[in-house]
Amino acid sequence: MRKLILLSLTFLLIIGLGGIASAQQKLDFKVSGMMDMLTILNRNIPDSVTRYDYLPPTTPGGVYTHNPLFGLGSAYLPDGRAYDKKRSYVMSRGIINFDPVMGKEISGRIAFELDSDRWGERQNDRNCMGYWGTDRAGVEIKNVYLSFAVPSAPVPIRITAGAQPFATRPVLNYTDGPGVAADIKIDPANIKLAWYKANENEDFASDDADVYHVNINGKIGTVTIGGFISHYNMNTYPFQSTIDSTADYRSDMTWLGFYADGKIGPLRTTFDFVYDRGKVEGRTAAPT
């Protein structure tokens, strides 16, 4: 299945790029986005993820520790001494989308995200535009992708290539990452084939991670019924690690899902069933 998806997407990408070269329509740009500022006031609600700040090692082998002045997690240590205190802070986010559009055949998106995790933060890092004096490294690249219709295809096919959203179902995941996806319409079915590159370590070694995805759905009456399979072929685990590309373990994880959305009588319903399986294996030698 993995080779079939990759070969199909490569073939469609070549055909689609050939069509772009011959396009002579006018290119327009659309701009959209959002901004928000939120004031948070609560009590007895710790952070879902303990926040750490980067400091010089304070213990042998230590790199990260609580910063008692600027850190937030230090007020919610396991002994619970601060669980009866109120806390308040302000946070904000901005998103701006630049969408090039050339008729119905070609479009794309360059999306930026700007965040302040807490106004008054002291780090020069991502999610820190609330620094006093600003001028922080707060602009993040969210999406950069191109989307185009495959010309002369017997059925409607649209290819999206670049750093794009990978969304399966709301109950499972939403991730942005680089890849190629094909949306194919064969009435009454909608078919999505996708390949994403989650991790690329050494180019000369089998130590990367690829994601293969198939999603098929169709409408029956007032209900859309579909199913999907997402397979993560990870030659390093966890695949986020790029520090040691000779890790002696690998894994394969697969998610199978069935879902239904629509209106049954007076009720609007959503149903999801997801099954996951996988395994982690050791290696006797570094990947080659």
Side-chain angles (χ1 to χ4, degrees):
M1 182 190 76
R2 294 175 298 186
K3 291 183 179 180
L4 177 61
I5 293 175
L6 193 54
L7 288 173
S8 299
L9 291 173
T10 302
F11 177 71
L12 293 172
L13 183 61
I14 293 172
I15 295 177
L17 289 175
I20 290 178
S22 61
Q24 299 295 326
Q25 299 188 52
K26 180 182 176 182
L27 178 63
D28 295 318
F29 269 92
K30 297 181 179 179
V31 180
S32 62
M34 58 81 67
M35 289 185 290
D36 66 19
M37 286 80 177
L38 306 177
T39 300
I40 310 298
L41 174 64
N42 56 40
R43 181 171 181 168
N44 296 336
I45 303 177
D47 290 328
S48 59
V49 178
T50 302
R51 177 174 173 176
Y52 291 89
D53 298 316
Y54 180 79
L55 292 175
T58 56
T59 58
V63 175
Y64 291 90
T65 183
H66 287 291
N67 184 328
L69 182 58
F70 304 122
L72 300 173
S74 57
Y76 292 92
L77 292 174
D79 59 9
R81 64 174 180 265
Y83 277 106
D84 60 345
K85 293 184 178 181
K86 295 178 182 178
R87 68 171 188 168
S88 62
Y89 57 91
V90 181
M91 61 191 301
S92 58
R93 163 170 288 185
I95 297 175
I96 184 167
N97 305 312
F98 297 94
D99 297 327
V101 179
M102 186 178 290
K104 296 181 179 180
E105 289 75 24
I106 305 173
S107 62
R109 169 160 289 189
I110 300 175
F112 298 100
E113 188 173 279
L114 309 92
D115 294 292
S116 173
D117 190 48
R118 299 292 191 278
W119 282 11
E121 53 223 342
R122 306 306 301 163
Q123 300 90 336
N124 183 12
D125 201 354
R126 64 189 296 266
N127 302 327
C128 292
M129 71 174 180
Y131 184 91
W132 182 252
T134 64
D135 295 334
R136 298 293 94 182
V139 179
E140 303 167 347
I141 298 173
K142 188 72 171 176
N143 299 132
V144 180
Y145 61 82
L146 184 66
S147 181
F148 51 87
V150 176
S152 304
V155 295
I157 302 175
R158 192 162 195 89
I159 304 295
T160 304
Q164 60 184 288
F166 172 42
T168 307
R169 291 287 292 172
V171 299
L172 185 58
N173 68 6
Y174 174 93
T175 306
D176 293 286
V180 180
D183 290 285
I184 306 169
K185 176 67 174 177
I186 304 177
D187 287 328
N190 301 294
I191 304 171
K192 177 181 282 292
L193 304 176
W195 162 74
Y196 292 84
K197 175 60 72 172
N199 186 41
E200 182 74 56
N201 281 315
E202 301 290 355
D203 293 339
F204 52 81
S206 299
D207 56 0
D208 53 356
D210 295 274
V211 180
Y212 304 91
H213 177 72
V214 178
N215 192 328
I216 302 174
N217 65 61
K219 198 163 187 178
I220 301 177
T222 59
V223 180
T224 299
I225 297 177
F228 66 87
I229 176 171
S230 296
H231 179 74
Y232 288 66
N233 175 233
M234 296 178 277
N235 289 304
T236 53
Y237 179 85
F239 62 77
Q240 295 93 335
S241 175
T242 58
I243 297 174
D244 181 9
S245 61
T246 61
D248 61 350
Y249 39 81
R250 60 189 173 192
S251 70
D252 287 283
M253 304 293 172
T254 303
W255 279 262
L256 300 168
F258 170 80
Y259 58 90
D261 294 307
K263 194 172 182 181
I264 301 177
L267 300 177
R268 182 167 296 278
T269 61
T270 297
F271 171 81
D272 279 277
F273 172 81
V274 180
Y275 171 77
D276 66 274
R277 64 180 300 275
K279 60 182 178 179
V280 178
E281 296 179 336
R283 299 178 190 264
T284 56
T288 57

